[in-house]
Amino acid sequence: MSAAWEYRQYDVVVWGATGYTGQICANYLADTYGCASDKLSWAIAGRNEEKLAYVKDSLGSRFQGLDVLIGDGGDEETLDLITRRTKAVITTAGPYSKYGNALVDSCVRNGTHYCDLTGETGWVKSNIEKQ
């Protein structure tokens, strides 16, 4: 990896943090690493600022410093702003065949690791073939 990748602001961004599974991921990171950790820097992200603020507030007062990133899953520019700032994106916003392509493309463009929990094997195959 390039030196620029090593100095990204976040280790992980949870995209789709307002959904059921996204909240589980955010809670796991909160419980395991806290907000400001020497082990992991992370943020939550999605398209709805109000819902993201709710997720952040639900983590507790010690997470007021947790960064919230706003983007649109169909907007290349906002996705690039997010994926350039992190080493990895965990996305829970599906169905991935409908909402995931732009995020995968942004991660590829910006050298960002991508992780999801899809069971959409046809979609995974098509992304592997196109990249």
Side-chain angles (χ1 to χ4, degrees), residues 4-96:
W5 186 84
E6 294 174 14
Y7 298 105
R8 294 197 180 187
Q9 184 175 0
Y10 308 107
D11 295 308
V12 175
V13 168
V14 179
W15 175 260
T18 61
Y20 178 79
T21 307
Q23 289 182 51
I24 290 172
C25 290
N27 279 304
Y28 174 81
L29 292 173
D31 291 345
T32 305
Y33 299 102
C35 182
S37 170
D38 293 339
K39 295 179 183 178
L40 187 80
S41 60
W42 62 286
I44 57 174
R47 69 176 187 259
N48 188 309
E49 191 169 5
E50 286 180 27
K51 289 181 181 180
L52 287 164
Y54 173 81
V55 171
K56 179 179 171 177
D57 290 345
S58 73
L59 295 173
S61 61
R62 66 189 177 119
F63 291 93
Q64 291 311 304
L66 181 66
D67 289 345
V68 173
L69 310 176
I70 308 301
D72 184 308
D75 181 6
E76 183 178 301
E77 185 178 338
T78 60
L79 290 175
D80 282 348
L81 288 172
I82 292 169
T83 61
R84 281 188 204 120
R85 295 171 69 183
T86 187
K87 293 178 183 177
V89 171
I90 298 171
T91 179
T92 61
Y96 300 96

Coordinates of all heavy atoms in Angstrom, one line a residue, residues 4-96:
A4 N 0.3 7.2 1.4 CA -0.9 8.0 1.6 C -2.0 7.1 2.3 O -2.8 7.6 3.1 CB -1.4 8.5 0.3
W5 N -2.1 5.9 1.9 CA -3.0 4.9 2.5 C -2.8 4.7 4.0 O -3.7 4.7 4.8 CB -3.0 3.6 1.8 CG -4.1 2.7 2.2 CD1 -5.3 2.6 1.7 CD2 -3.9 1.6 3.2 NE1 -6.0 1.6 2.4 CE2 -5.2 1.0 3.2 CE3 -2.9 1.2 4.0 CZ2 -5.4 -0.1 4.1 CZ3 -3.1 0.1 4.8 CH2 -4.4 -0.5 4.8
E6 N -1.5 4.7 4.4 CA -1.2 4.4 5.8 C -1.6 5.6 6.7 O -1.8 5.3 7.9 CB 0.4 4.2 5.9 CG 0.8 2.9 5.2 CD 2.3 2.8 5.2 OE1 3.0 3.6 5.9 OE2 2.8 2.0 4.4
Y7 N -1.8 6.7 6.2 CA -2.1 7.9 7.0 C -3.5 8.4 6.8 O -3.8 9.6 7.0 CB -1.0 9.0 6.7 CG 0.3 8.6 7.1 CD1 1.2 8.2 6.1 CD2 0.7 8.4 8.4 CE1 2.5 7.8 6.4 CE2 2.0 8.0 8.7 CZ 2.9 7.6 7.7 OH 4.1 7.2 8.1
R8 N -4.4 7.5 6.5 CA -5.8 8.0 6.4 C -6.4 8.3 7.8 O -5.9 7.7 8.8 CB -6.6 6.9 5.7 CG -6.1 6.8 4.2 CD -7.1 6.1 3.4 NE -6.6 6.0 2.0 CZ -7.3 5.5 1.0 NH1 -8.5 5.1 1.2 NH2 -6.7 5.4 -0.2
Q9 N -7.3 9.1 7.8 CA -7.9 9.6 9.1 C -8.6 8.4 9.9 O -8.5 8.4 11.1 CB -9.0 10.7 8.8 CG -9.6 11.3 10.0 CD -10.5 12.4 9.6 OE1 -10.7 12.8 8.5 NE2 -11.1 13.1 10.6
Y10 N -9.2 7.5 9.2 CA -9.9 6.4 9.9 C -9.4 5.1 9.4 O -9.0 4.9 8.3 CB -11.4 6.5 9.5 CG -12.1 7.8 9.8 CD1 -12.4 8.6 8.7 CD2 -12.3 8.3 11.1 CE1 -13.0 9.8 8.9 CE2 -12.8 9.5 11.3 CZ -13.2 10.3 10.2 OH -13.8 11.5 10.4
D11 N -9.4 4.1 10.3 CA -9.2 2.8 10.0 C -10.4 2.1 9.3 O -10.3 1.4 8.4 CB -8.8 1.9 11.2 CG -7.5 2.4 11.8 OD1 -6.5 2.5 11.1 OD2 -7.4 2.7 13.0
V12 N -11.6 2.5 9.9 CA -12.9 1.9 9.5 C -14.0 2.9 9.5 O -14.0 3.7 10.4 CB -13.3 0.7 10.4 CG1 -14.7 0.2 10.0 CG2 -12.3 -0.4 10.4
V13 N -14.8 2.9 8.4 CA -16.0 3.7 8.4 C -17.2 2.7 8.2 O -17.1 1.8 7.4 CB -16.0 4.7 7.3 CG1 -17.4 5.3 7.1 CG2 -15.1 5.8 7.5
V14 N -18.2 2.8 9.1 CA -19.4 2.0 9.0 C -20.4 2.7 8.1 O -21.0 3.7 8.6 CB -20.0 1.6 10.4 CG1 -21.3 0.8 10.2 CG2 -19.0 0.9 11.2
W15 N -20.6 2.2 6.9 CA -21.6 2.9 6.0 C -22.9 2.2 6.2 O -23.0 0.9 6.2 CB -21.1 2.7 4.5 CG -22.1 3.2 3.5 CD1 -23.0 2.5 2.8 CD2 -22.3 4.6 3.2 NE1 -23.7 3.3 2.0 CE2 -23.3 4.6 2.2 CE3 -21.7 5.8 3.6 CZ2 -23.8 5.7 1.6 CZ3 -22.2 6.9 3.0 CH2 -23.2 6.9 2.0
G16 N -24.0 2.9 6.3 CA -25.3 2.4 6.6 C -25.5 2.1 8.1 O -26.2 1.2 8.5
A17 N -24.9 3.0 8.9 CA -24.9 2.8 10.3 C -26.3 3.0 11.0 O -26.4 2.6 12.1 CB -23.9 3.7 11.0
T18 N -27.2 3.5 10.2 CA -28.6 3.7 10.8 C -29.5 2.5 10.8 O -30.5 2.5 11.5 CB -29.3 4.9 10.2 OG1 -29.5 4.6 8.8 CG2 -28.4 6.2 10.3
G19 N -29.2 1.5 10.0 CA -30.0 0.3 9.9 C -29.7 -0.6 11.0 O -28.8 -0.4 11.8
Y20 N -30.5 -1.7 11.1 CA -30.4 -2.6 12.2 C -28.9 -3.2 12.3 O -28.3 -3.1 13.4 CB -31.4 -3.8 12.0 CG -31.3 -4.8 13.1 CD1 -31.9 -4.6 14.3 CD2 -30.7 -6.0 12.8 CE1 -31.8 -5.6 15.3 CE2 -30.6 -7.0 13.8 CZ -31.1 -6.8 15.0 OH -31.1 -7.8 16.0
T21 N -28.4 -3.7 11.2 CA -27.1 -4.4 11.2 C -26.0 -3.3 11.4 O -25.0 -3.5 12.0 CB -26.9 -5.2 10.0 OG1 -28.0 -6.1 9.9 CG2 -25.6 -6.0 10.0
G22 N -26.2 -2.2 10.8 CA -25.2 -1.1 10.9 C -25.1 -0.6 12.4 O -24.0 -0.3 12.9
Q23 N -26.2 -0.6 13.1 CA -26.2 -0.2 14.5 C -25.5 -1.3 15.3 O -24.7 -1.0 16.3 CB -27.6 0.0 15.0 CG -28.2 1.3 14.5 CD -29.5 1.6 15.1 OE1 -29.7 1.5 16.3 NE2 -30.5 1.9 14.2
I24 N -25.6 -2.6 14.9 CA -24.9 -3.7 15.6 C -23.4 -3.5 15.4 O -22.6 -3.6 16.4 CB -25.4 -5.0 15.1 CG1 -26.8 -5.3 15.6 CG2 -24.4 -6.1 15.6 CD1 -27.4 -6.6 15.0
C25 N -23.0 -3.2 14.2 CA -21.6 -2.9 13.9 C -21.0 -1.7 14.7 O -20.0 -1.8 15.3 CB -21.3 -2.7 12.4 SG -21.6 -4.1 11.4
A26 N -21.8 -0.6 14.8 CA -21.4 0.5 15.5 C -21.3 0.2 17.0 O -20.3 0.6 17.7 CB -22.3 1.7 15.3
N27 N -22.2 -0.5 17.5 CA -22.2 -0.9 18.9 C -21.0 -1.8 19.2 O -20.4 -1.6 20.3 CB -23.5 -1.5 19.4 CG -24.6 -0.5 19.7 OD1 -24.4 0.3 20.5 ND2 -25.7 -0.7 19.0
Y28 N -20.7 -2.7 18.4 CA -19.5 -3.6 18.6 C -18.2 -2.8 18.6 O -17.4 -2.9 19.5 CB -19.4 -4.6 17.5 CG -18.2 -5.4 17.6 CD1 -18.1 -6.5 18.5 CD2 -17.1 -5.1 16.8 CE1 -16.9 -7.2 18.6 CE2 -15.9 -5.8 16.9 CZ -15.8 -6.8 17.8 OH -14.6 -7.5 18.0
L29 N -18.1 -1.8 17.6 CA -16.9 -1.0 17.6 C -16.8 -0.1 18.9 O -15.7 0.0 19.5 CB -16.8 -0.2 16.4 CG -16.6 -0.9 15.1 CD1 -16.8 0.0 13.9 CD2 -15.3 -1.7 15.0
A30 N -17.9 0.4 19.3 CA -18.0 1.2 20.5 C -17.6 0.4 21.7 O -16.7 0.9 22.5 CB -19.4 1.8 20.7
D31 N -18.2 -0.8 21.9 CA -17.9 -1.6 23.0 C -16.4 -2.1 23.0 O -15.8 -2.2 24.1 CB -18.8 -2.8 23.1 CG -20.3 -2.4 23.4 OD1 -20.5 -1.3 23.8 OD2 -21.1 -3.2 23.2
T32 N -15.9 -2.4 21.9 CA -14.6 -3.0 21.8 C -13.5 -2.0 21.8 O -12.4 -2.2 22.4 CB -14.5 -3.9 20.5 OG1 -15.6 -4.8 20.5 CG2 -13.2 -4.6 20.4
Y33 N -13.7 -0.8 21.1 CA -12.6 0.1 20.9 C -12.8 1.5 21.5 O -11.9 2.3 21.6 CB -12.3 0.3 19.4 CG -11.8 -1.0 18.8 CD1 -12.7 -1.7 18.0 CD2 -10.6 -1.5 19.0 CE1 -12.3 -2.9 17.4 CE2 -10.1 -2.7 18.4 CZ -11.0 -3.4 17.6 OH -10.6 -4.6 17.1
G34 N -14.0 1.8 21.9 CA -14.3 3.1 22.4 C -14.4 4.1 21.3 O -14.5 3.8 20.1
C35 N -14.3 5.4 21.6 CA -14.4 6.4 20.6 C -13.0 6.8 20.1 O -12.8 6.8 18.9 CB -15.1 7.7 21.2 SG -15.3 9.0 20.0
A36 N -12.2 7.2 20.9 CA -10.8 7.6 20.5 C -9.9 6.6 21.1 O -9.6 6.5 22.2 CB -10.5 9.0 21.1
S37 N -9.4 5.7 20.2 CA -8.6 4.6 20.6 C -7.2 4.6 19.8 O -7.2 4.9 18.7 CB -9.3 3.3 20.3 OG -8.5 2.2 20.4
D38 N -6.2 4.2 20.5 CA -4.9 4.0 19.9 C -5.0 2.7 18.9 O -4.2 2.6 18.0 CB -3.8 3.7 20.9 CG -3.5 5.0 21.7 OD1 -3.9 6.1 21.2 OD2 -3.0 4.9 22.8
K39 N -6.0 1.9 19.2 CA -6.1 0.6 18.4 C -6.9 0.8 17.1 O -6.6 0.1 16.1 CB -6.7 -0.5 19.2 CG -5.9 -0.9 20.4 CD -6.5 -1.9 21.2 CE -5.7 -2.3 22.5 NZ -6.4 -3.3 23.3
L40 N -7.9 1.7 17.1 CA -8.7 1.8 16.0 C -9.4 3.2 15.9 O -10.0 3.6 16.9 CB -9.8 0.7 16.0 CG -10.7 0.6 14.8 CD1 -10.0 -0.2 13.7 CD2 -12.1 0.0 15.1
S41 N -9.3 3.8 14.8 CA -10.1 5.1 14.6 C -11.2 4.8 13.6 O -11.0 4.1 12.6 CB -9.1 6.2 14.0 OG -8.6 5.8 12.8
W42 N -12.4 5.2 14.0 CA -13.5 4.8 13.2 C -14.6 6.0 13.2 O -14.5 6.9 14.0 CB -14.1 3.5 13.6 CG -14.7 3.5 15.0 CD1 -14.0 3.5 16.2 CD2 -16.0 3.5 15.4 NE1 -14.8 3.4 17.3 CE2 -16.1 3.5 16.9 CE3 -17.3 3.5 14.7 CZ2 -17.3 3.4 17.6 CZ3 -18.4 3.5 15.5 CH2 -18.4 3.5 16.9
A43 N -15.5 5.8 12.2 CA -16.6 6.8 12.1 C -17.8 6.1 11.6 O -17.7 5.0 11.1 CB -16.2 7.9 11.1
I44 N -19.0 6.7 11.7 CA -20.2 6.2 11.1 C -20.6 7.1 9.9 O -20.3 8.3 9.9 CB -21.4 6.1 12.1 CG1 -21.7 7.4 12.8 CG2 -21.0 5.0 13.2 CD1 -22.9 7.4 13.7
A45 N -21.3 6.5 9.0 CA -21.6 7.2 7.8 C -22.9 6.7 7.2 O -23.4 5.6 7.4 CB -20.5 7.0 6.7
G46 N -23.5 7.6 6.4 CA -24.8 7.3 5.7 C -25.4 8.6 5.1 O -24.7 9.6 5.1
R47 N -26.6 8.5 4.7 CA -27.2 9.6 4.0 C -28.0 10.5 4.8 O -28.3 11.6 4.5 CB -28.0 9.1 2.7 CG -29.2 8.4 3.1 CD -30.0 8.0 1.8 NE -31.3 7.4 2.2 CZ -31.5 6.1 2.2 NH1 -30.6 5.3 1.8 NH2 -32.7 5.7 2.6
N48 N -28.5 10.0 6.0 CA -29.5 10.8 6.8 C -28.8 11.3 8.1 O -28.6 10.5 9.0 CB -30.7 9.9 7.1 CG -31.8 10.6 7.8 OD1 -31.6 11.3 8.7 ND2 -33.0 10.5 7.3
E49 N -28.5 12.5 8.1 CA -27.8 13.1 9.2 C -28.5 13.0 10.6 O -27.9 12.7 11.6 CB -27.5 14.6 8.9 CG -26.6 15.3 9.9 CD -26.1 16.6 9.4 OE1 -26.6 17.1 8.4 OE2 -25.2 17.2 10.1
E50 N -29.9 13.2 10.5 CA -30.6 13.0 11.8 C -30.6 11.6 12.3 O -30.4 11.4 13.5 CB -32.1 13.4 11.5 CG -32.3 14.9 11.4 CD -33.8 15.2 11.1 OE1 -34.7 14.5 11.6 OE2 -34.0 16.3 10.5
K51 N -30.7 10.6 11.5 CA -30.7 9.2 11.9 C -29.3 8.9 12.4 O -29.1 8.1 13.4 CB -31.1 8.3 10.8 CG -32.6 8.3 10.5 CD -33.0 7.3 9.4 CE -34.4 7.4 9.1 NZ -34.8 6.4 8.0
L52 N -28.2 9.4 11.8 CA -26.9 9.1 12.2 C -26.6 9.8 13.6 O -26.0 9.2 14.4 CB -25.9 9.6 11.2 CG -25.8 8.8 9.9 CD1 -25.0 9.6 8.8 CD2 -25.0 7.5 10.2
A53 N -27.2 11.0 13.8 CA -27.0 11.6 15.1 C -27.7 10.8 16.2 O -27.2 10.7 17.3 CB -27.6 13.0 15.0
Y54 N -28.8 10.2 15.8 CA -29.5 9.3 16.8 C -28.6 8.1 17.2 O -28.5 7.8 18.3 CB -30.9 8.9 16.2 CG -31.5 7.8 17.1 CD1 -32.2 8.2 18.2 CD2 -31.4 6.5 16.8 CE1 -32.8 7.3 19.1 CE2 -32.0 5.5 17.6 CZ -32.7 5.9 18.7 OH -33.3 5.0 19.6
V55 N -28.0 7.5 16.2 CA -27.2 6.3 16.4 C -26.0 6.8 17.3 O -25.7 6.1 18.3 CB -26.6 5.7 15.1 CG1 -25.6 4.7 15.3 CG2 -27.8 5.1 14.3
K56 N -25.4 7.9 17.0 CA -24.3 8.4 17.8 C -24.7 8.7 19.2 O -24.0 8.2 20.1 CB -23.7 9.7 17.1 CG -22.6 10.3 17.9 CD -22.2 11.6 17.2 CE -21.2 12.4 18.0 NZ -20.7 13.6 17.2
D57 N -25.9 9.3 19.4 CA -26.4 9.6 20.7 C -26.7 8.3 21.5 O -26.5 8.2 22.7 CB -27.6 10.5 20.7 CG -27.3 11.9 20.3 OD1 -26.2 12.3 20.3 OD2 -28.3 12.6 19.9
S58 N -27.2 7.3 20.8 CA -27.5 6.0 21.4 C -26.3 5.3 22.0 O -26.4 4.4 22.8 CB -28.3 5.1 20.5 OG -27.4 4.6 19.5
L59 N -25.1 5.6 21.4 CA -23.8 5.0 21.9 C -23.4 5.5 23.3 O -22.6 4.9 24.0 CB -22.7 5.2 20.9 CG -22.9 4.5 19.5 CD1 -21.8 5.0 18.6 CD2 -23.0 3.0 19.7
G60 N -23.9 6.7 23.6 CA -23.7 7.3 25.0 C -22.8 8.5 24.9 O -22.2 8.9 23.8
S61 N -22.8 9.2 26.0 CA -22.1 10.5 26.0 C -20.6 10.5 25.7 O -20.1 11.5 25.3 CB -22.4 11.2 27.4 OG -21.8 10.4 28.4
R62 N -20.0 9.4 26.0 CA -18.5 9.3 25.7 C -18.2 9.2 24.2 O -17.1 9.3 23.8 CB -17.9 8.1 26.5 CG -18.4 6.8 26.0 CD -17.9 5.7 26.9 NE -18.4 4.4 26.5 CZ -17.6 3.4 26.1 NH1 -16.3 3.5 26.1 NH2 -18.2 2.3 25.7
F63 N -19.3 9.2 23.4 CA -19.1 9.1 21.9 C -19.4 10.4 21.2 O -19.6 10.4 20.0 CB -19.9 7.9 21.4 CG -19.3 6.6 21.8 CD1 -19.7 5.9 22.9 CD2 -18.2 6.1 21.1 CE1 -19.2 4.8 23.3 CE2 -17.6 4.9 21.5 CZ -18.1 4.2 22.6
Q64 N -19.5 11.5 22.0 CA -19.9 12.8 21.3 C -18.8 13.2 20.4 O -19.0 14.0 19.4 CB -20.1 13.8 22.4 CG -21.4 13.6 23.2 CD -22.6 13.3 22.2 OE1 -22.9 14.1 21.4 NE2 -23.2 12.1 22.4
G65 N -17.6 12.7 20.5 CA -16.5 13.0 19.6 C -16.4 12.1 18.4 O -15.6 12.3 17.5
L66 N -17.3 11.1 18.3 CA -17.3 10.2 17.1 C -17.8 11.0 15.9 O -18.7 11.7 15.9 CB -18.3 9.1 17.4 CG -18.4 8.0 16.3 CD1 -17.1 7.2 16.1 CD2 -19.6 7.1 16.6
D67 N -17.0 10.8 14.8 CA -17.3 11.5 13.6 C -18.5 10.9 12.8 O -18.6 9.7 12.8 CB -16.1 11.6 12.7 CG -15.0 12.5 13.2 OD1 -15.3 13.3 14.1 OD2 -13.9 12.4 12.7
V68 N -19.3 11.7 12.3 CA -20.4 11.3 11.4 C -20.2 11.9 10.0 O -20.0 13.1 9.9 CB -21.7 11.9 12.0 CG1 -22.9 11.6 11.1 CG2 -22.0 11.3 13.4
L69 N -20.2 11.0 9.1 CA -19.9 11.4 7.7 C -21.2 11.2 6.9 O -21.8 10.2 6.9 CB -18.8 10.5 7.1 CG -17.5 10.4 7.9 CD1 -16.5 9.4 7.3 CD2 -16.9 11.8 8.2
I70 N -21.5 12.2 6.1 CA -22.7 12.2 5.3 C -22.4 12.1 3.9 O -21.5 12.7 3.3 CB -23.5 13.6 5.5 CG1 -23.7 13.9 7.0 CG2 -24.8 13.5 4.8 CD1 -24.5 12.9 7.8
G71 N -23.1 11.1 3.2 CA -22.9 10.9 1.8 C -24.1 10.3 1.2 O -25.0 9.8 1.9
D72 N -24.2 10.2 -0.1 CA -25.3 9.6 -0.8 C -24.7 8.5 -1.6 O -23.7 8.6 -2.3 CB -25.9 10.7 -1.8 CG -27.1 10.2 -2.5 OD1 -27.0 9.1 -3.1 OD2 -28.1 10.8 -2.5
G73 N -25.3 7.3 -1.4 CA -24.9 6.1 -2.1 C -24.9 6.1 -3.6 O -24.2 5.3 -4.2
G74 N -25.5 7.1 -4.2 CA -25.5 7.2 -5.6 C -24.7 8.4 -6.1 O -24.6 8.6 -7.3
D75 N -24.0 9.1 -5.2 CA -23.2 10.3 -5.6 C -21.7 10.0 -5.5 O -21.2 9.9 -4.4 CB -23.6 11.4 -4.6 CG -22.9 12.7 -4.9 OD1 -22.2 12.8 -5.9 OD2 -23.1 13.6 -4.2
E76 N -21.1 9.8 -6.6 CA -19.7 9.5 -6.7 C -18.8 10.5 -5.8 O -17.9 10.0 -5.1 CB -19.3 9.5 -8.1 CG -17.8 9.1 -8.4 CD -17.5 9.1 -9.9 OE1 -18.2 8.4 -10.6 OE2 -16.6 9.9 -10.3
E77 N -19.1 11.7 -5.9 CA -18.3 12.7 -5.2 C -18.3 12.6 -3.7 O -17.3 12.6 -3.1 CB -18.8 14.1 -5.6 CG -17.9 15.2 -5.0 CD -18.4 16.6 -5.4 OE1 -19.0 16.8 -6.5 OE2 -18.0 17.6 -4.7
T78 N -19.5 12.4 -3.1 CA -19.6 12.2 -1.7 C -19.0 10.9 -1.2 O -18.4 10.8 -0.2 CB -21.0 12.4 -1.1 OG1 -21.9 11.4 -1.7 CG2 -21.6 13.8 -1.4
L79 N -19.2 9.9 -2.0 CA -18.6 8.6 -1.7 C -17.1 8.7 -1.7 O -16.4 8.1 -0.8 CB -19.1 7.5 -2.6 CG -20.6 7.1 -2.4 CD1 -21.0 6.1 -3.5 CD2 -20.8 6.5 -1.0
D80 N -16.5 9.3 -2.7 CA -15.1 9.5 -2.8 C -14.5 10.3 -1.6 O -13.5 10.0 -1.1 CB -14.7 10.2 -4.1 CG -14.7 9.2 -5.3 OD1 -14.8 8.0 -5.1 OD2 -14.6 9.7 -6.4
L81 N -15.3 11.3 -1.2 CA -14.8 12.1 0.0 C -14.7 11.2 1.2 O -13.8 11.4 2.1 CB -15.8 13.2 0.3 CG -15.7 14.4 -0.7 CD1 -16.9 15.4 -0.4 CD2 -14.4 15.1 -0.7
I82 N -15.6 10.2 1.3 CA -15.6 9.3 2.5 C -14.5 8.2 2.3 O -13.7 8.0 3.2 CB -17.0 8.6 2.7 CG1 -17.9 9.7 3.2 CG2 -16.9 7.5 3.7 CD1 -19.4 9.3 3.2
T83 N -14.5 7.6 1.1 CA -13.5 6.4 0.9 C -12.1 6.9 0.9 O -11.2 6.1 1.2 CB -13.9 5.6 -0.3 OG1 -13.8 6.4 -1.5 CG2 -15.3 5.0 -0.2
R84 N -11.8 8.1 0.5 CA -10.4 8.6 0.6 C -9.9 8.8 2.0 O -8.7 8.9 2.2 CB -10.3 10.0 -0.1 CG -10.3 9.9 -1.6 CD -10.0 11.3 -2.2 NE -10.6 11.4 -3.5 CZ -11.5 12.2 -4.0 NH1 -12.0 13.1 -3.2 NH2 -11.9 12.2 -5.2
R85 N -10.8 8.9 2.9 CA -10.4 9.2 4.3 C -10.3 8.0 5.2 O -9.9 8.1 6.4 CB -11.5 10.1 5.0 CG -11.6 11.5 4.3 CD -12.8 12.3 4.8 NE -12.6 12.7 6.2 CZ -13.5 13.3 6.8 NH1 -14.7 13.6 6.2 NH2 -13.3 13.7 8.1
T86 N -10.6 6.8 4.7 CA -10.5 5.6 5.5 C -9.8 4.4 4.8 O -9.7 4.4 3.6 CB -12.0 5.1 5.9 OG1 -11.9 4.0 6.8 CG2 -12.7 4.7 4.6
K87 N -9.3 3.6 5.6 CA -8.6 2.4 5.1 C -9.6 1.3 4.7 O -9.3 0.6 3.8 CB -7.6 1.8 6.2 CG -6.5 2.7 6.5 CD -5.6 2.1 7.6 CE -4.5 3.1 8.0 NZ -3.7 2.5 9.1
A88 N -10.7 1.3 5.4 CA -11.7 0.2 5.1 C -13.1 0.8 5.3 O -13.3 1.6 6.2 CB -11.5 -1.0 5.9
V89 N -14.1 0.3 4.5 CA -15.5 0.6 4.6 C -16.2 -0.8 4.9 O -16.0 -1.7 4.2 CB -16.1 1.2 3.4 CG1 -17.6 1.3 3.5 CG2 -15.5 2.5 3.1
I90 N -17.0 -0.7 6.0 CA -17.9 -1.8 6.3 C -19.3 -1.3 5.9 O -19.7 -0.3 6.5 CB -17.9 -2.2 7.8 CG1 -16.5 -2.7 8.2 CG2 -19.0 -3.2 8.1 CD1 -16.4 -2.8 9.8
T91 N -19.9 -2.0 5.0 CA -21.2 -1.5 4.6 C -22.3 -2.5 4.9 O -22.1 -3.7 4.8 CB -21.3 -1.2 3.1 OG1 -22.6 -0.7 2.8 CG2 -20.9 -2.3 2.2
T92 N -23.4 -2.0 5.4 CA -24.5 -2.8 5.7 C -25.8 -2.4 5.0 O -26.9 -2.8 5.3 CB -24.8 -2.8 7.3 OG1 -25.1 -1.5 7.7 CG2 -23.6 -3.3 8.0
A93 N -25.6 -1.5 4.0 CA -26.7 -0.9 3.2 C -27.0 -1.7 2.0 O -26.3 -1.6 1.0 CB -26.4 0.5 2.9
G94 N -28.0 -2.6 2.1 CA -28.4 -3.4 0.9 C -29.8 -3.1 0.6 O -30.4 -2.3 1.2
P95 N -30.3 -3.8 -0.5 CA -29.6 -4.8 -1.2 C -28.5 -4.2 -2.0 O -28.5 -3.2 -2.6 CB -30.7 -5.4 -2.1 CG -31.7 -4.3 -2.2 CD -31.7 -3.5 -1.0
Y96 N -27.4 -5.0 -2.0 CA -26.1 -4.5 -2.6 C -26.2 -4.3 -4.1 O -25.6 -3.4 -4.7 CB -25.0 -5.4 -2.1 CG -24.8 -5.4 -0.6 CD1 -25.4 -6.4 0.1 CD2 -24.2 -4.3 0.0 CE1 -25.3 -6.3 1.5 CE2 -24.1 -4.3 1.4 CZ -24.7 -5.3 2.1 OH -24.6 -5.3 3.5

